[in-house]
Amino acid sequence: WIVGSSVELLRQSMEKEARKLYKKTREVVSKAKRTYVCKPLKDVIKEYRECKTIEEERALVKKECAHIRDLFREGDTAFRRRNVQKLVFFHMNGYPTDFGQIECLKLAASHKFSDKRVGYLGLTILLDENTEILMLITNALKMDLNEKDPAIVGLALSVLGDVSSAEMLRDLEPDIALLMDQSNDYIVKKSTLVASRIVRKVPDLSDVFAAKIPSLLASGHTPSVYHSACLLLISVCETDASVMTPESFQSCVDLLCQMLIHTCEKSHNHEVDVGKIPNPFLQIAGIHALRVVGQHYSTESALSAVLQAAKHLSDEISVVSASVLMECVKTIRELPCASAQDIRFALEILEKCMNHKDNTIKYAALQELRLFVPLDPSGVEKHREIILECLHHNDVSIRTRGMDLLCSMATSDSVARYIDELVSYLIRSGSEHQQKIVLRICYLVEKYLSSMESRMRVYIRVLCEADVQVPERVLANFLALLSNSSACQKLAVQTLFEYLSSNAPPERIHLRKPRFVRTSIYVIGEYGADYAASSSSVGCVELIQSINKYLQTYRNDDSLINEQFSESGKLKLSEYVSVRLAALLSIMKIVSRSSGEQQQSLLLAREIFGQFRNHAELETQQRACEFIVLLASDWSTVRKHVLESMPRLDYETRRHKIIQEVQLDLDRGNGKNRKSSASVLSSHAVTIGNTGLLLSLLDDDEDDVAVGQSAQQQHAPQLMDSFSGKNDANFDLLTLGDSLNESEQNRAEPKQAMKSVDPLDDLLGTSSNLLALPPNAESASYSSRPKPQHDAAGALDLLDLFGAPAQPQSPVSEAYSAQILNENQVQILLTAKRQNETNSESSTQTLECTATLSNLNFNQSINRFVLQVSVPRYIKLQLYSASSSGIAMGSTAHQKFTLTNTLSNEKPFQFRFRLEFERNNEPFKSEGFVKDIKC
């Protein structure tokens, strides 16, 4: 029994060991299989490039990522470096690789240089400075910074220079300062670049590195150290120049001048020279540093060094020398000590660059020359012929820069020639650029031409040449100009009537000008009756016949238009149909307003309308049938009121908006509105936690303060489509009755309360479903009838227009409105409206507030503004994006926010605000307190 038991125990022990060995062997074999198929990066790239479809590419990436993820899960170390390299490649091609971030940290913490190199590379590509996981590498970086191997120290400095956060830089600042004092120029260069990043990210540490700049600029270093020292000096001056003493500034200026002179005259190093130009990168950095320093500490020695460098390179212009010369020109322009002779020397350099055959040099010279217009207008004017030649250049970017430069150079004396040149350029240019050219021409017309007749002639010329490329806001501005000048009205009718009478409509569709024809027909219809009454040679019949000639041409080619032009966009069906609708309406206006030959024009109009009463296009047929009914004698009294003249439009507001829009565009081209790194602010709603920004604003014992701030992307001014054909499918004659009832235009939705109402917005009508006309009209005068009402769909009813009972209007709730700020030529108007509450007895009330900011300065724009609001703890704040990041001259911007008072029965609505803005690069700040808002 004892022997049998021993044998059984031995057997069980052997089986257990065999199972363990089998399991271990199977795991080893499985791992060996997976590691065997771990392809190198070179093979993966080859397979990736061989993929013919996006599906194959995604399948390959998915398969490789799954294999890499399995190896990471098993703790594989043999192929970790190879797998991280593949993840970097996938990340650069747009695929998610977040699961590999920890492996990058492991490689970076390794003692092998090959692992560190790949790990740090992965960190710089897969992570950014806002990634929280990056803080885990701080200790490893500190250890690597203290290594004796320069290669490892250089890797750590590269990571700090690329993706380090402010907290990491603050912790490692002592190590960086020590590395800047080493004798190895490679380490000194990299540590200086990291110091430049520290100055930008942690400005309160600027004084630590400002003291090291003179020693870095001293002789004995390589050019790369000088270059990095220049960048550090620029960062310190742009971040906090107060840490630099006058002695430090003078020392830096002297050293920079010596460095520039030595580089230009004595330095000849084939490793850094480019195209026989000695070290152009160092020259550019040094000149840039002198320019930045000169804004705080200007000396004649800095200017003389720059002029000497410019004279040394101005003999023979090349791409390399032009880059250095442009930096010299910028420095001469910005240094306060520059004289008029220095400015002329800079203009001579720009003239040589503009005459150069290289397009890049020419473009840069044109861009820089625009900035010299305020400094020396007469000097820039001497190069007018060269600038005009740029409008004939083959490169569209050169033509655009030349056009913008002409707009900046224009004066009242030279604007006529510039307009002629731009109109000629408009004719030669393609359709994709014509809209921008038209806006530039209108900018010159409205800003510099004083005569209304001269403006009108240019508008007609531009409309004839550009046609459908003329923006709707420009067309609306032209019509507003005519409504404010009776002399322009008659002259426009005469000019356009002569064009329509003497020019037959083109047979080829692509040669037709539908927007010009539509505008001409509208002007003749609106003002033609008055012109015919004062003219001895032209009557209403002739006007109707000239319109009918084009009306017959635009009659039945809808299918041909769709086939040939719907895709190319040269001529859309909506433009084509709108000509017919405008022609029918204009004929009706002339008939209703004619006096001497009304019977003859009435018969001619009935004949024309009868041709379209069975038209295939629904809107055209509907309009013709309506006009035939209105021509009946029973409707003669009502007809005059329905088709009475348009009211005078707000021309000044429109022209100022066009001037401001183009001026902002020109300023952006000059770089005036570019944001600095210090001005990047959050663009969305509520920021809780940064309460230190506004704690001083609210004198309240509450601990919690809600703070919001907003800085937004600029949007170009948008105006309503006033004369477009895209709404012609809903065109209705009787919507013109809105001009008899201007109060109806104020019945807008609450969300559109701030939107201005324009009579031109309904020039061609809104949607309408007409009801049948009664056989006889009442004899009462139109003035005694109720005002037309809108139905539920927002359309005008024909029966309502001619006497149907008016529907009761819903009461409009009262709103709070007050001016809360008026200083520094900025005005803020606050309007507040209470939201509808389901429970009137609730203690929680919400106000919808809108702050309207007006720039009262008509000479300077506001480049950017930030409106901050702080509230007590019992009020909740929701701050939305503003309508724009800047405010043009004389224009406005809107900032909306909501206030929710949780104790409205006990405490009032109140808040404090701070407005910060820049005008001509000069900062302004205003504060205020608004209390007891009641509405």
Side-chain angles (χ1 to χ4, degrees):
W1 177 80
I2 294 175
V3 174
S5 298
S6 301
V7 172
E8 183 65 22
L9 290 174
L10 182 61
R11 187 183 62 79
Q12 291 178 0
S13 176
M14 293 177 65
E15 287 181 356
K16 187 176 181 180
E17 292 295 331
R19 290 192 189 97
K20 289 183 180 179
L21 182 61
Y22 174 75
K23 184 178 180 180
K24 186 176 181 180
T25 304
R26 189 175 60 179
E27 290 178 355
V28 171
V29 172
S30 177
K31 185 176 181 180
K33 288 182 179 180
R34 284 195 293 272
T35 55
Y36 177 75
V37 297
C38 184
K39 304 174 184 177
L41 176 63
K42 189 174 182 180
D43 295 343
V44 172
I45 296 176
K46 183 178 180 181
E47 293 182 8
Y48 184 87
R49 292 177 176 176
E50 289 176 353
C51 294
K52 297 182 179 179
T53 61
I54 188 65
E55 290 78 11
E56 294 180 7
E57 179 183 305
R58 290 172 179 171
L60 172 65
V61 174
K62 183 177 180 181
K63 179 181 177 181
E64 286 295 328
C65 287
H67 183 223
I68 294 172
R69 194 179 289 109
D70 290 341
L71 292 178
F72 286 164
R73 190 182 300 114
E74 294 177 359
D76 172 71
T77 58
F79 295 97
R80 179 181 292 165
R81 186 168 66 248
R82 179 183 296 180
N83 290 330
V84 170
Q85 290 174 352
K86 288 189 285 187
L87 289 181
V88 169
F89 173 73
F90 293 151
H91 178 81
M92 294 173 66
N93 284 278
Y95 292 94
T97 56
D98 297 339
F99 61 90
Q101 294 176 354
I102 296 297
E103 302 302 319
C104 293
L105 296 177
K106 293 179 181 179
L107 284 176
S110 173
H111 296 289
K112 296 181 180 179
F113 175 77
S114 56
D115 289 347
K116 284 184 179 293
R117 183 177 58 180
V118 177
Y120 282 142
L121 174 64
L123 288 177
T124 56
I125 295 179
L126 301 184
L127 305 180
D128 57 38
E129 61 185 65
N130 298 319
T131 308
E132 295 181 358
I133 198 175
L134 192 63
M135 293 297 295
L136 300 176
I137 201 63
T138 305
N139 190 43
L141 287 172
K142 186 176 182 64
M143 295 174 61
D144 289 341
L145 289 176
N146 295 320
E147 285 284 344
K148 296 182 179 179
D149 189 355
I152 295 178
V153 178
L155 286 177
L157 291 173
S158 298
V159 174
L160 288 175
D162 286 339
V163 294
S164 55
S165 62
E167 292 79 8
M168 295 173 60
L169 294 172
R170 188 182 293 274
D171 294 339
L172 299 175
E173 173 266 328
D175 302 277
I176 302 300
L178 290 176
L179 291 175
M180 294 176 65
D181 297 329
Q182 286 193 5
S183 59
N184 190 332
D185 285 344
Y186 173 75
I187 301 300
V188 174
K189 177 195 70 174
K190 283 185 170 291
S191 58
T192 305
L193 293 176
V194 176
S196 178
R197 182 179 178 89
I198 294 176
V199 170
R200 294 194 303 269
K201 293 289 183 180
V202 193
D204 56 327
L205 297 178
S206 300
D207 55 340
V208 177
F209 302 102
K212 296 181 177 293
I213 295 176
S215 61
L216 293 173
L217 291 173
S219 60
H221 294 291
T222 59
S224 60
V225 176
Y226 293 142
H227 194 169
S228 58
C230 293
L231 298 180
L232 177 58
L233 177 59
I234 293 170
S235 299
V236 170
C237 293
E238 291 179 347
T239 304
D240 186 8
S242 61
V243 299
M244 298 284 291
T245 62
E247 293 77 12
S248 300
F249 275 128
Q250 184 62 48
S251 176
C252 291
V253 169
D254 294 340
L255 292 171
L256 285 172
C257 294
Q258 293 177 11
M259 181 194 68
L260 276 178
I261 295 173
H262 180 270
T263 303
C264 295
E265 297 181 354
K266 302 178 182 179
S267 176
H268 295 285
N269 188 347
H270 298 291
E271 295 181 357
V272 295
D273 293 353
V274 180
K276 298 181 181 180
I277 304 300
N279 204 343
F281 301 103
L282 180 58
Q283 290 191 57
I284 292 174
I287 296 170
H288 187 189
L290 285 175
R291 180 169 76 250
V292 175
V293 171
Q295 297 175 0
H296 306 280
Y297 184 82
S298 181
T299 61
E300 295 292 340
S301 59
L303 181 60
S304 61
V306 173
L307 292 174
Q308 186 173 355
K311 293 176 182 178
H312 183 74
L313 298 171
S314 59
D315 296 334
E316 185 178 353
I317 304 295
S318 63
V319 176
V320 181
S321 61
S323 61
V324 182
L325 287 173
M326 286 300 156
E327 201 68 31
C328 296
V329 169
K330 293 178 183 178
T331 305
I332 295 172
R333 174 173 51 83
E334 295 186 12
L335 284 180
C337 59
S339 62
Q341 184 178 359
D342 300 330
I343 297 295
R344 287 194 294 271
F345 175 69
L347 291 176
E348 292 176 2
I349 295 176
L350 292 177
E351 181 183 9
K352 292 181 180 180
C353 293
M354 285 191 296
N355 289 324
H356 199 273
K357 61 181 179 181
D358 188 272
N359 290 345
T360 305
I361 299 176
K362 190 185 294 290
Y363 181 92
L366 290 170
Q367 178 73 10
E368 187 62 30
L369 189 60
R370 290 177 57 190
L371 302 177
F372 278 86
V373 174
L375 300 178
D376 189 4
S378 59
V380 177
E381 186 71 20
K382 294 178 181 178
H383 309 292
R384 179 177 56 187
E385 298 301 328
I386 301 176
I387 299 170
L388 292 176
E389 290 178 2
C390 293
L391 296 179
H392 300 269
H393 201 276
N394 296 329
D395 193 335
V396 64
S397 61
I398 303 296
R399 299 198 299 269
T400 304
R401 284 293 141 235
M403 177 179 63
D404 292 346
L405 181 54
L406 286 180
C407 293
S408 302
M409 294 168 51
T411 60
S412 301
D413 299 330
S414 61
V415 68
R417 181 181 178 184
Y418 291 165
I419 290 176
D420 291 339
E421 292 290 342
L422 290 180
V423 171
S424 301
Y425 174 41
L426 175 67
I427 299 173
R428 299 191 308 269
S429 62
S431 58
E432 65 274 12
H433 305 295
Q434 286 184 340
Q435 191 174 55
K436 187 174 184 178
I437 302 172
V438 169
L439 285 174
R440 296 295 191 272
I441 295 175
C442 295
Y443 167 78
L444 296 178
V445 167
E446 298 297 346
K447 188 172 183 179
Y448 297 106
L449 287 183
S450 58
S451 172
M452 300 283 277
E453 289 80 2
S454 301
R455 297 177 186 175
M456 183 268 299
R457 289 190 180 92
V458 176
Y459 273 118
I460 293 177
R461 185 180 176 188
V462 169
L463 184 60
C464 181
E465 299 297 344
D467 193 54
V468 294
Q469 299 302 329
V470 176
E472 294 295 341
R473 55 190 180 279
V474 173
L475 185 56
N477 186 64
F478 168 62
L479 298 178
L481 182 149
L482 293 181
S483 69
N484 284 267
S485 173
S486 57
C488 288
Q489 293 171 5
K490 296 180 180 179
L491 183 59
V493 172
Q494 178 183 358
T495 304
L496 296 174
F497 171 72
E498 291 176 356
Y499 179 89
L500 296 184
S501 301
S502 59
N503 295 276
E507 294 296 332
R508 300 178 65 181
I509 295 178
H510 70 277
L511 296 178
R512 298 176 185 176
K513 302 175 180 179
R515 187 164 296 184
F516 172 71
V517 172
R518 174 162 54 94
T519 306
S520 303
I521 290 174
Y522 167 78
V523 172
I524 293 175
E526 185 66 33
Y527 309 110
D530 296 336
Y531 172 73
S534 61
S535 176
S536 58
S537 58
V538 178
C540 292
V541 175
E542 287 78 8
L543 296 177
I544 295 175
Q545 288 175 349
S546 64
I547 296 175
N548 184 42
K549 180 174 61 173
Y550 277 82
L551 179 59
Q552 298 301 326
T553 304
Y554 287 81
R555 184 174 181 179
N556 291 316
D557 291 340
D558 294 356
S559 59
L560 186 60
I561 290 290
N562 273 333
E563 291 176 3
Q564 294 188 10
F565 295 99
S566 59
E567 295 182 359
S568 63
K570 294 181 180 178
L571 185 62
K572 295 182 179 179
L573 179 61
S574 59
E575 289 279 352
Y576 199 74
V577 173
S578 65
V579 175
R580 286 200 299 265
L581 301 179
L584 295 175
L585 177 59
S586 296
I587 293 174
M588 192 65 191
K589 287 181 179 180
I590 294 174
V591 171
S592 65
R593 301 172 189 175
S594 61
S595 56
E597 42 188 350
Q598 185 172 7
Q599 188 64 28
Q600 187 177 359
S601 60
L602 188 65
L603 294 175
L604 181 57
R606 284 176 178 170
E607 179 184 354
I608 295 173
F609 295 152
Q611 300 173 5
F612 291 90
R613 64 186 308 168
N614 296 321
H615 197 274
E617 203 268 320
L618 178 62
E619 292 300 321
T620 303
Q621 179 188 131
Q622 179 182 357
R623 208 64 63 239
C625 294
E626 292 170 358
F627 291 156
I628 290 175
V629 175
L630 282 176
L631 286 176
S633 58
D634 297 337
W635 299 92
S636 59
T637 304
V638 178
R639 185 170 61 237
K640 294 181 179 179
H641 294 284
V642 174
L643 299 170
E644 69 178 5
S645 301
M646 289 287 291
R648 178 172 293 186
L649 305 176
D650 188 1
Y651 170 61
E652 290 299 323
T653 301
R654 290 179 176 276
R655 66 183 293 265
H656 281 304
K657 285 184 177 180
I658 290 179
I659 293 174
Q660 293 156 10
E661 176 188 354
V662 179
Q663 188 64 53
L664 284 176
D665 193 15
L666 293 174
D667 291 344
R668 283 195 298 270
N670 284 339
K672 292 182 180 179
N673 292 341
R674 294 177 184 172
K675 293 183 178 180
S676 63
S677 58
S679 65
V680 178
L681 301 173
S682 173
S683 61
H684 267 292
V686 183
T687 303
I688 305 297
N690 293 332
T691 56
L693 294 173
L694 287 176
L695 285 177
S696 61
L697 286 179
L698 194 61
D699 297 328
D700 196 274
D701 294 332
E702 308 292 348
D703 295 330
D704 298 330
V705 180
V707 182
Q709 63 182 21
S710 173
Q712 299 73 22
Q713 296 181 350
Q714 181 173 354
H715 301 281
Q718 298 294 327
L719 301 178
M720 295 289 289
D721 289 337
S722 58
F723 208 95
S724 64
K726 65 182 180 183
N727 293 327
D728 288 335
N730 298 322
F731 178 86
D732 195 340
L733 157 75
L734 299 177
T735 52
L736 294 175
D738 284 347
S739 62
L740 301 174
N741 182 19
E742 296 182 1
S743 64
E744 288 292 315
Q745 298 174 353
N746 297 326
R747 298 175 58 192
E749 295 295 331
K751 293 183 180 180
Q752 299 175 347
M754 301 303 294
K755 191 174 184 178
S756 61
V757 180
D758 195 330
L760 282 178
D761 294 341
D762 267 342
L763 188 58
L764 290 181
T766 56
S767 61
S768 170
N769 296 320
L770 294 181
L771 302 180
L773 287 169
N776 296 307
E778 298 178 5
S779 59
S781 64
Y782 182 78
S783 60
S784 63
R785 299 182 184 275
K787 297 177 180 180
Q789 301 293 325
H790 289 276
D791 57 17
L796 275 170
D797 196 336
L798 184 60
L799 293 178
D800 292 342
L801 182 62
F802 294 129
Q807 298 295 329
Q809 298 184 9
S810 58
V812 180
S813 60
E814 296 182 359
Y816 172 87
S817 179
Q819 179 178 306
I820 62 176
L821 180 69
N822 189 2
E823 61 182 49
N824 296 325
Q825 294 183 316
V826 174
Q827 183 185 84
I828 300 181
L829 177 65
L830 176 69
T831 57
K833 183 177 180 182
R834 190 183 302 275
Q835 287 186 352
N836 296 329
E837 301 290 343
T838 56
N839 186 5
S840 59
E841 299 180 357
S842 175
S843 61
T844 302
Q845 300 289 339
T846 302
L847 291 184
E848 294 179 349
C849 303
T850 301
T852 303
L853 295 87
S854 303
N855 182 10
L856 304 181
N857 190 324
F858 288 89
N859 297 320
Q860 295 178 343
S861 303
I862 293 178
N863 298 337
R864 71 171 187 91
F865 74 90
V866 178
L867 180 64
Q868 301 173 333
V869 179
S870 66
V871 296
R873 186 169 57 183
Y874 66 87
I875 295 179
K876 296 180 181 180
L877 170 68
Q878 180 73 25
L879 189 64
Y880 301 99
S881 300
S883 60
S884 64
S885 62
I887 309 177
M889 300 174 292
S891 184
T892 60
H894 305 291
Q895 174 82 62
K896 293 186 177 182
F897 57 93
T898 58
L899 302 176
T900 303
N901 189 346
T902 58
L903 300 175
S904 60
N905 296 335
E906 302 176 8
K907 296 185 178 182
F909 282 94
Q910 61 180 354
F911 65 89
R912 287 186 180 272
F913 66 90
R914 173 186 292 165
L915 176 65
E916 298 179 353
F917 63 93
E918 290 182 0
R919 180 186 285 127
N920 197 18
N921 295 327
E922 182 180 358
F924 294 89
K925 181 172 69 174
S926 301
E927 298 178 359
F929 178 59
V930 181
K931 61 180 180 178
D932 199 14
I933 304 176
K934 296 180 180 180
C935 59

